[in-house]
Amino acid sequence: MNAVSRIKGDREPVICGVCRRRAIGLGWAGRQGHPVMWLCDSPVCGTLARSVYEMPKVALDRFEQAARDEAGDMAGAYLESIGKTDLARLTEEEWKTFLHQVLVGFEASLRRRFLENAAPF
C-alpha cells in the first residue's frame, strides 16, 4: 500500500523530492511509516514521485548531474545571446534572467529526464 501524506501547517516548508522546488505539503512514502518525500505543485512531480522515491542514490545523482550540465548550457547560451561572458558586467535584469536559466532550467531538465526514463504507471 502506498502512502500519501500532508505536511502539518506549522512545519517549515521543504523542497520537492523530484525537481527541488518548494514543496506544497503533498508527499509520497512507499509505505506507511516510511520517510516522506515531499512534492511541489507540479502534476509531473506527482506522477514521478514513486519512481524517484525508489531510485537508487547513484542513479539520482546521475540525473541531477545531467540536469545541472544542461541548465549550465542554457545559461551559457543566454550569455552568448546577449554578448556577455563576464558575470560582473551583467545588469540586474540580465543577472536575474541568467539565474532563471540556471534554476528553472535545472528543474525542467530534471523533470524531463525523469519522464524519459520513468516506468509506465
Side-chain angles (χ1 to χ4, degrees):
M1 178 175 178
N2 299 324
V4 176
S5 300
R6 290 208 169 267
I7 298 173
K8 291 173 74 177
D10 58 350
R11 291 196 179 161
E12 290 291 318
V14 293
I15 62 170
C16 177
V18 176
C19 73
R20 310 305 186 245
R21 288 182 57 220
R22 184 178 58 84
I24 60 161
L26 187 61
W28 173 270
R31 282 183 257 170
Q32 193 70 17
H34 282 215
V36 176
M37 179 179 74
W38 300 108
L39 303 169
C40 68
D41 60 355
S42 169
V44 173
C45 291
T47 300
L48 293 167
R50 180 180 184 169
S51 62
V52 173
Y53 186 88
E54 295 172 351
M55 187 176 293
K57 183 181 179 326
V58 68
L60 182 57
D61 289 347
R62 281 191 222 119
F63 276 106
E64 289 177 339
Q65 290 163 357
R68 176 205 60 208
D69 294 347
E70 186 175 341
D73 290 344
M74 291 171 60
Y78 167 70
L79 293 175
E80 285 180 21
S81 76
I82 61 171
K84 293 183 178 180
T85 56
D86 184 349
L87 298 181
R89 295 188 180 270
L90 297 179
T91 67
E92 183 177 346
E93 194 58 37
E94 290 167 339
W95 174 249
K96 289 177 182 178
T97 302
F98 171 78
L99 291 177
H100 181 83
Q101 294 294 315
V102 172
L103 297 172
V104 175
F106 176 81
E107 295 164 4
S109 177
L110 197 55
R111 280 192 202 109
R112 182 182 49 74
R113 288 172 183 282
F114 284 144
L115 281 172
E116 290 171 355
N117 291 298
F121 295 100

